[in-house]
Amino acid sequence: MAPYDDWNRVDDDDEDELQDNALFDAKKDVILFCIDCSPSMLQLRPDPEEESKMTSHLYAALDSAMNLQKRKVVTGPNDSFGILLFNTTRKLNTPRTQGSEIKKNMFLYQPIGPLSAPVIQELIQLLHTAQENPEELRKQFTPTDSRVAMGDVFTSCNWVIRDGAPKTATKRVFLITDEDNPHPSSKQLRISAQTTLEDLAQAGVVVEPFFIQTEDKPFDVTKFYSTVLQTNVFVDDTDLDPSVLTESISVSRIEDLLSQMKFREVTKRALFNIPFELAQGFTIGVKGYGLVTEQKKGDYKYFVDLGDRLEVAIVKTGQLDEDRQVEVDKSNIVYGMAVVGAAPSNDDDAEADSMAATKVVKSGQRPFYTADEMRTFRTLSLEPGLKLLGFKPRDTLRFEDNVKHSQFIYPEETTYAGSKRTFSALLKSMIKKKVIGLARGVLRRNSTPTMYAILPQDEDVNEMEPAGFHIIPLPFADDIRSAPIEEGYIASDNLKDKARAWINKTTIKSGYIPDSYPNPALAFHYDQLEASAFREEFNPDAFEDLTEPNVDLIHAKAGKLLKEWKVELANDHSATLVVPVTGSKRKPDASQNSIDLLEVKTRFEEGSLMKYKVDQLKAFCRSQNIPTSGNKSDLIQRVEDWCKLH
């Protein structure tokens, strides 16, 4: 029987995923690199990192694919990758299951498959050869005289993914090209590209473009791709043109290609898919996404040493019947709660089992509940979903109400037809009237009902913020705590001016951009794993922590101002006042133990340090990093020594 003190915990295995099970089971990610091999992509140009060497857009694209696969070896070992090249005359030498049906002038360099070090090392070897001989890529992947139709490219991507990708995986195509108008005079080829791209979308494949531009060859998305790749989901009753691509996320320089891929390497998976009840009999479907999630190290595995080999150990969790040494069925486990003043039962086991089964609880004994009853207590018998309760002015939502991470909801058309249209109308109406919504929500089958504030967000193309609702969990009365109020000391205006001067000098004008600062602990961990997987030497000294402050630059910009502020701080009366921190059992008056620095110096010159109490002397010693052990005479001697030095 489970310990009764764990009565409020139900196994996480019982927390079923909601409705769209195919999406939630998609723990694998499949990425197919679709790279253009046209003459402009193979054109040699100076390497931005090493001026003495030559490189090409195709080399940079393959190098980015290689680096992303190396990262995925440690961050997503269950994922699959593939590389498809188009506009090349190279053909398959040996028949394969994948790529046997692809269109003409296309070459499947790397079939879709699980990540493996030998496959990646083969690509690394090709890049090393191309670095020594810049013409190697042109020799390996000779470009065609005429361009392949983009409809054929998307069709081949569909076939390759169909043959190699698991059905439950999230499937994406990274399209890399520098040609903004592949079919300038053929409307039929444009329509064909749109049609085949719709087939890809129906198969659950998302195309993410990486368009490359240079100073001599800018990339204009309006010539072809703005009418082929559509990104705006709010097609109904919106003023925005759904055919216009956002240039800030679609066009990049070749030097930024890898950083753009890293930004989009993590798939956007929905956390829940639930109904949103706006009124009785009026329901739409929504999906929820977590915008901020802590990234942690991957789970480690247990291995059994069998002498000649290591095998992964299968770990099982559950309750064990110690008498019979068998695992107890979960349906036979009950949960109990301690009753205040309950006396230990002297009944035998048979009577106790009978009592638990019939749910008859004698006076002074513990009540027991099944897992289903415990779930009912937690969810109040409510099914997963959101229910709109009303609206309030937007200014009633306070900053301190946001006690947990909010989540972002988006319309889902599959379950309830017309969800996008209704969602868009509600969003625009709430933004126009400057109101927020209040809703009761149960996001998962095993979660407790929570009150949510529904905060509307309009689309911001420049900041890449989509239109939708943030649902903010609101605290209950039991969750609110009052902060302790302590007396503070206000700095002088002169001291504040001195501080403001060096703060303004060291302020980052562009603000803090989280995408530019990876977690150093995770980065260091992944670099070691990556080096171990590819049998490379790892140099800890070469690791760069981007979160470390640039001390030399700070001193160069604000060193003089910092010194002036520290001098002013040492002479400020409120800054030198010491308030000792005491335990919770004893709360003396803080003002009685406060010691002024100038007063200590005065009493030292007068020889009257003996008038101080032990608590006051210890408080002063603590503020100046002086040991506080010993009796009063020891403390006075240390204070006198400090005064002589200062």
Side-chain angles (χ1 to χ4, degrees), residues 511-627:
Y512 174 73
I513 304 175
D515 300 327
S516 303
Y517 302 96
N519 186 332
L522 288 178
F524 188 75
H525 174 70
Y526 289 153
D527 285 353
Q528 293 184 76
L529 291 181
E530 183 180 308
S532 176
F534 292 95
R535 299 178 182 178
E536 299 173 349
E537 184 178 354
F538 177 72
N539 183 12
D541 297 332
F543 176 76
E544 182 182 5
D545 183 1
L546 299 179
T547 62
E548 287 187 354
N550 192 334
V551 179
D552 295 336
L553 181 61
I554 292 174
H555 279 289
K557 295 179 65 174
K560 184 178 179 181
L561 298 175
L562 282 166
K563 290 181 180 179
E564 294 177 358
W565 172 71
K566 291 180 71 175
V567 172
E568 187 69 25
L569 183 65
N571 297 328
D572 188 85
H573 173 75
S574 61
T576 57
L577 196 63
V578 180
V579 179
V581 180
T582 58
S584 59
K585 294 183 179 179
R586 183 184 178 188
K587 298 181 179 180
D589 187 1
S591 61
Q592 293 180 0
N593 292 332
S594 301
I595 303 176
D596 184 67
L597 187 61
L598 297 177
E599 183 183 351
V600 172
K601 293 181 179 180
T602 302
R603 290 204 176 186
F604 167 70
E605 294 172 356
E606 295 175 352
S608 57
L609 290 175
M610 287 292 297
K611 294 182 180 180
Y612 281 126
K613 297 179 180 179
V614 174
D615 292 339
Q616 292 175 316
L617 292 170
K618 286 187 175 182
F620 177 79
C621 291
R622 239 180 254 112
S623 66
Q624 303 300 328
N625 294 326
I626 302 174

Side-chain angles (χ1 to χ4, degrees), residues 41-48 53-57 59-60 134:
M41 290 287 289
L42 286 164
Q43 181 182 350
L44 297 180
R45 60 193 75 236
D47 193 331
K53 295 184 178 181
M54 303 295 287
T55 185
S56 63
H57 290 342
Y59 178 90

Side-chain angles (χ1 to χ4, degrees), residues 7 12 32 34 52 58 76 83 87 138 306 310 357 360 437 462 533 535 543 549-550 556 584 591 631:
W7 72 280
D12 294 337
L32 175 64
C34 187
S52 60
L58 178 59
I83 298 177
N87 290 325
R138 181 178 291 272
L306 300 178
L310 293 175
V360 176
N462 296 327
R535 299 178 182 178
F543 176 76
N550 192 334
S584 59
S591 61
N631 51 28

Side-chain angles (χ1 to χ4, degrees), residues 398-406 450 472-476 479-480:
R398 301 174 299 177
F399 175 79
E400 55 267 25
D401 290 336
N402 193 0
V403 295
K404 296 180 180 178
H405 285 314
S406 62
T450 306
I472 304 171
L474 297 176
F476 291 104
D479 304 329
I480 300 174

Side-chain angles (χ1 to χ4, degrees), residues 214-515:
T214 57
E215 294 181 358
D216 56 340
K217 188 179 180 182
F219 198 103
D220 186 2
V221 295
T222 61
K223 289 183 178 180
F224 178 81
Y225 287 99
S226 61
T227 57
V228 175
L229 301 173
Q230 296 183 355
T231 58
N232 186 14
V233 297
F234 291 113
V235 180
D236 302 312
D237 300 330
T238 57
D239 298 330
L240 298 175
D241 185 1
S243 65
V244 177
L245 280 179
T246 305
E247 294 189 15
S248 59
I249 64 172
S250 61
V251 181
S252 63
R253 295 178 296 119
I254 193 64
E255 295 86 355
D256 301 330
L257 188 59
L258 180 59
S259 61
Q260 288 289 330
M261 287 185 181
K262 290 180 180 178
F263 179 72
R264 283 186 268 178
E265 82 174 273
V266 180
T267 55
K268 302 173 182 63
R269 296 189 179 100
L271 299 179
F272 54 84
N273 183 4
I274 57 177
F276 185 9
E277 183 180 348
L278 304 179
Q280 187 173 2
F282 186 24
T283 304
I284 63 175
V286 293
K287 287 183 179 181
Y289 299 86
L291 301 184
V292 178
T293 304
E294 181 185 0
Q295 184 70 22
K296 299 180 180 180
K297 298 178 183 178
D299 296 333
Y300 57 85
K301 297 181 179 179
Y302 293 96
F303 290 84
V304 179
D305 189 357
L306 300 178
D308 57 338
R309 67 186 187 281
L310 293 175
E311 288 191 1
V312 179
I314 300 175
V315 181
K316 291 185 177 180
T317 57
Q319 301 292 337
L320 186 66
D321 188 338
E322 296 182 356
D323 296 333
R324 295 181 296 172
Q325 290 297 312
V326 295
E327 187 176 350
V328 180
D329 189 357
K330 288 185 178 181
S331 61
N332 296 330
I333 298 176
V334 295
Y335 300 84
M337 181 178 67
V339 179
V340 177
S345 174
N346 294 326
D347 299 333
D348 55 14
D349 294 339
E351 184 178 352
D353 292 341
S354 174
M355 178 183 65
T358 58
K359 304 311 298 288
V360 176
V361 182
K362 295 182 179 180
S363 176
Q365 293 184 348
R366 303 168 186 159
F368 294 96
Y369 305 97
T370 64
D372 291 337
E373 290 172 327
M374 290 295 301
R375 189 176 294 105
T376 302
F377 298 157
R378 177 171 295 180
T379 63
L380 301 181
S381 300
L382 295 175
E383 288 296 320
L386 282 172
K387 182 177 182 180
L388 183 64
L389 302 179
F391 303 94
K392 295 186 69 175
R394 186 162 183 165
D395 55 9
T396 58
L397 182 62
R398 301 174 299 177
F399 175 79
E400 55 267 25
D401 290 336
N402 193 0
V403 295
K404 296 180 180 178
H405 285 314
S406 62
Q407 293 173 319
F408 191 77
I409 60 174
Y410 217 59
E412 203 279 320
E413 191 80 13
T414 306
T415 310
Y416 297 91
S419 294
K420 289 183 180 179
R421 185 190 299 267
T422 308
F423 189 94
S424 178
L426 176 63
L427 176 69
K428 290 195 292 186
S429 179
M430 291 178 63
I431 293 175
K432 181 180 179 180
K433 296 181 179 180
K434 297 181 180 180
V435 297
I436 62 170
L438 290 178
R440 182 202 67 201
V442 179
L443 304 185
R444 304 174 74 90
R445 294 196 184 279
N446 200 26
S447 61
T448 57
T450 306
M451 303 299 294
Y452 291 94
I454 304 177
L455 181 64
Q457 173 180 287
D458 200 2
E459 182 175 13
D460 190 336
V461 178
N462 296 327
E463 297 295 331
M464 293 184 288
E465 293 180 351
F469 290 112
H470 294 275
I471 55 172
I472 304 171
L474 297 176
F476 291 104
D478 313 79
D479 304 329
I480 300 174
R481 300 288 186 271
S482 57
I485 301 176
E486 297 180 355
E487 182 181 357
Y489 298 95
I490 301 176
S492 63
D493 293 337
N494 192 26
L495 182 61
K496 288 189 285 186
D497 292 339
K498 297 285 186 183
R500 192 177 293 111
W502 68 262
I503 290 174
N504 292 336
K505 271 287 187 181
T506 56
T507 300
I508 302 175
K509 304 300 181 183
S510 60
Y512 174 73
I513 304 175
D515 300 327

Side-chain angles (χ1 to χ4, degrees), residues 132-143:
E132 297 175 359
N133 181 14
E135 294 291 339
E136 179 66 23
L137 291 181
R138 181 178 291 272
K139 178 182 177 182
Q140 292 268 3
F141 313 111
T142 305

